[in-house]
Every structure is written in structure tokens, then in C-alpha cells.
Amino acid sequence: MRSTPKFKNKTKATNKASTQTGEIRIIGGQWRGRKLKVHDKEGLRPTTDRLKETVFNWLMMDVRQSNVLDCFAGAGSLGFEAASRSANSVTCIEKNKQAANQLKNNVTILNAGQHINVIQADFFTAVQTLKTQFDLVFIDPPFHKDMVQSCIKALFDNQIITSGSLMYLEQEANNRYDLMASEFAEQFSLKKEKIAGQVSAQLFEVV
């Protein structure tokens, strides 16, 4: 007789966890200090504040008035930070419907519809519909999915990046795709890099 209420409680806890939300914090620009809710989907791994501070110090002279693409937006940590720092436009692509809807809600909360566009789609499908060449591209795909090579190929195939474009790449440090030893090596110059715990952060320029 005791097993039934235990089962019900467990079910309630599971349902609560599935709708749980977290937060990200914008650390610079016009929305500095604002906290935004994020959908707590499995595998969501927002860039930490400490690493984000490093990345945007690297990009200090490049974000303003740039057209930005966030290929795997997730929580929107990078894309919204760029928008806060006066990027001209930010396009966020996110496959997960609930996460994308939360991004759209955050755009509304910030009254940022003129600057941030959220596309709910698989990156490899969405990239074929884009008509813009971007000045800055964030690639922060799910870890351990081996998506970096195919992502960069898609960017070139669809003429999304061109000479002078900057590309930030965040991936697992212990099994990272070595861009400078790849088929794309001659098309990039490594500008900055840092290892932060289990994360590799690199900034490249298309040559």
C-alpha cells in the first residue's frame, strides 16, 4: 500500500524536472546584469560567465555593428551577449522547440526583435536558407557529437563566411577537432585560444 504514493511523488518530481528552467546573465553592454530564463534541456551547456568575459574581451573591437550568427544557440548566452554589445543583427539557430521558444520569449522581454532573430530548425537545414554573409559566427555545438567539421563545411558551402569573417569555436578540450590540421587550415588564421577546464575556446579569422 505504501508503494502507490511513492510512485506518485516520483512522477510529480519527474514532471517538475522536465519543465525546470535555469538562468543566464548578460555581463556587458546595454543589458548588463539582466538575467534571462533558459529551458533546461538535456545537454544544454551555456558558456560560463568567466569564459564569456574572455571571449568578448577578444572581440571587444569587432562586435559593434557586426552581423552575428549563433549556429547552435541553446541558451543564447553568446548571441544575446553580442546583441547587448551593439551587434547590428544576431541570428540564433536552435533545433529544440522549447529552447527556441524560450529564446523568443527573451527577445520579447528585451524588446530586441529588431536585432535578434530566432530560427527554430536544425542548423544544417537552416543554413541553406540564410541570405547573409556574417561578420562573426559562434560555433558551440553539443559536445561529443563530431559536428564541427560538417558545420564549417556548411558555412563555406552556403557562402555564410568570407574573408575577414571571425569564427569563435567552443568544443570539448579532450577530443577537439583540430581546425589548423584539417582540410580548412589554409582558410583560417588562429587569433586567440584558451583551455578552461574541459572546454577549448578558439577565435579564428577567415583569410
Side-chain angles (χ1 to χ4, degrees), residues 89-105:
S89 70
V90 177
T91 299
C92 296
I93 301 174
E94 173 52 43
K95 182 178 181 179
N96 181 275
K97 185 176 181 179
Q98 291 174 301
N101 285 341
Q102 184 63 65
L103 292 175
K104 292 176 182 179
N105 288 342

Side-chain angles (χ1 to χ4, degrees), residues 4-203:
T4 301
K6 286 184 178 180
F7 177 79
K8 288 182 178 179
N9 290 340
K10 182 177 180 180
T11 302
K12 290 180 180 179
T14 301
N15 290 340
K16 183 177 180 180
S18 67
T19 59
Q20 187 179 16
T21 57
E23 288 184 337
I24 59 168
R25 184 173 66 93
I26 297 176
I27 62 173
Q30 63 177 316
W31 302 316
R32 181 179 181 180
R34 289 291 296 270
K35 293 181 179 180
L36 301 174
K37 291 182 179 180
V38 299
H39 176 63
D40 190 20
K41 75 183 183 74
E42 184 179 357
L44 190 68
R45 183 189 41 77
T47 301
T48 64
D49 283 1
R50 180 174 295 183
L51 181 55
K52 192 161 54 176
E53 183 176 7
T54 296
V55 173
F56 282 90
N57 282 341
W58 293 348
L59 296 170
M60 187 178 300
M61 306 302 295
D62 301 294
V63 174
R64 188 176 182 83
Q65 299 303 309
S66 63
N67 293 316
V68 179
L69 174 64
D70 193 350
C71 298
F72 305 91
S77 184
L78 295 171
F80 279 77
E81 191 71 38
S84 180
R85 296 170 188 250
S86 301
N88 180 58
S89 70
V90 177
T91 299
C92 296
I93 301 174
E94 173 52 43
K95 182 178 181 179
N96 181 275
K97 185 176 181 179
Q98 291 174 301
N101 285 341
Q102 184 63 65
L103 292 175
K104 292 176 182 179
N105 288 342
N106 289 339
V107 171
T108 300
I109 289 169
L110 295 173
N111 193 26
Q114 292 184 330
H115 300 288
I116 305 175
N117 178 36
V118 178
I119 301 173
Q120 193 265 305
D122 175 72
F123 164 76
F124 297 99
T125 300
V127 72
Q128 300 176 45
T129 69
L130 299 178
K131 307 298 182 183
T132 304
Q133 286 189 331
F134 291 88
D135 306 301
L136 172 60
V137 175
F138 294 120
I139 302 178
D140 182 13
F143 277 10
H144 310 298
K145 299 292 185 181
D146 296 324
M147 300 174 72
V148 173
Q149 182 179 16
S150 54
C151 178
I152 294 172
K153 183 177 186 300
L155 292 173
F156 278 118
D157 287 349
N158 292 280
Q159 300 180 336
I160 299 301
I161 51 178
T162 187
S163 179
S165 296
L166 294 174
M167 185 182 77
Y168 171 72
L169 176 58
E170 186 172 318
Q171 56 184 323
E172 60 270 34
N174 62 351
N175 187 34
R176 73 179 185 181
Y177 177 73
D178 188 353
L179 181 58
M180 300 313 293
S182 74
E183 62 189 289
F184 305 110
E186 295 184 358
Q187 295 168 280
F188 287 98
S189 171
L190 177 61
K191 310 297 290 185
K192 301 282 187 179
E193 66 178 331
K194 179 177 181 176
I195 301 294
Q198 299 180 0
V199 177
S200 165
Q202 295 174 299
L203 179 66

